Amino acid sequence: KSRLSMQRMGKQAAITGGVMLAAGGVMAVALRGTVKSAQEAELAQLKLQSTIRGNKALGADAMGAFEGQAKALQRYTVASDEAVMGIQAMLGQFGMTKSEVLTLTPLVVDISRKMGIDFESAAKAVGKAAEGSTGALKKMGIVVDQAKAKVDPFGATVDALRRAAGGFAATEGKTFAGQMAILSNQAD
């Protein structure tokens, strides 16, 4: 009888040990994901801060405005706040003002999502177009009015982006898949 009891205790200990090992594995994976998210957020902020320091046209209050926009876009598009800050940092590298960056950022998210390209490539193409070099947008099928671009390259770029993809990311964010992505981003 005591031998049978010892066997049962041994089996129970083995099962308990297996469950604890599995739980530890799940916790390790979750911790790894949390650490990766924290690293991405820190890098995005560092890039944006560096851009703001290097571009006086952005102004001293740019960080607060950019963070506010990033959080807002994360609430209704599939773009994470880190991705939005990456877009803002890239656009700021083109010497834009805070207002210009704030205007173009949602449009970059729109074309990125509609065209299926990464945010950085979209931001570079838009930044170049806002300076007058519209070739990258043309390759994506986005036509910028060349006559207007000669006089006002920023305005011509905004107009072309609004026509081509304006509001796409917000519409995508209303879909089931979009809502799931938004929830996932907000959990990070």
Side-chain angles (χ1 to χ4, degrees):
K1 188 173 179 180
S2 77
R3 185 171 197 216
L4 188 58
S5 179
M6 290 296 277
Q7 286 177 341
R8 283 186 191 147
M9 283 180 25
K11 285 181 184 178
Q12 193 63 25
I15 291 170
T16 301
V19 168
M20 291 176 72
L21 187 60
V26 169
M27 288 174 51
V29 169
L31 181 60
R32 193 173 319 127
T34 300
V35 168
K36 185 175 186 226
S37 292
Q39 289 171 328
E40 290 170 358
E42 184 177 41
L43 181 59
Q45 280 204 325
L46 183 64
K47 287 179 179 181
L48 189 52
Q49 288 168 346
S50 176
T51 296
I52 291 169
R53 276 193 307 276
N55 178 356
K56 300 302 178 205
L58 293 173
D61 63 339
M63 190 65 175
F66 291 161
E67 285 177 333
Q69 183 183 51
K71 288 183 188 333
L73 286 171
Q74 180 177 264
R75 282 194 295 274
Y76 68 90
T77 73
V78 302
S80 69
D81 56 348
E82 291 89 1
V84 173
M85 285 192 271
I87 293 168
Q88 294 163 333
M90 179 59 66
L91 293 174
Q93 293 293 320
F94 286 91
M96 294 181 189
T97 65
K98 177 179 73 173
S99 175
E100 291 170 332
V101 171
L102 290 171
T103 299
L104 287 175
T105 297
L107 294 168
V108 171
V109 174
D110 287 336
I111 68 158
S112 172
R113 298 303 303 163
K114 184 174 181 182
M115 303 296 177
I117 60 174
D118 64 272
F119 293 122
E120 184 175 343
S121 297
K124 284 179 184 176
V126 169
K128 289 176 184 178
E131 290 183 326
S133 179
T134 61
L137 288 183
K138 186 175 183 180
K139 287 179 184 177
M140 287 185 237
I142 299 172
V143 180
V144 178
D145 181 331
Q146 292 303 307
K148 183 173 182 181
K150 288 179 181 170
V151 179
D152 179 15
F154 178 83
T157 300
V158 170
D159 290 346
L161 295 173
R162 284 184 177 149
R163 277 192 315 274
F168 183 86
T171 301
E172 178 191 29
K174 294 175 185 173
T175 66
F176 178 75
Q179 289 293 300
M180 294 299 101
I182 290 167
L183 286 173
S184 176
N185 284 337
Q186 290 174 349
D188 282 343

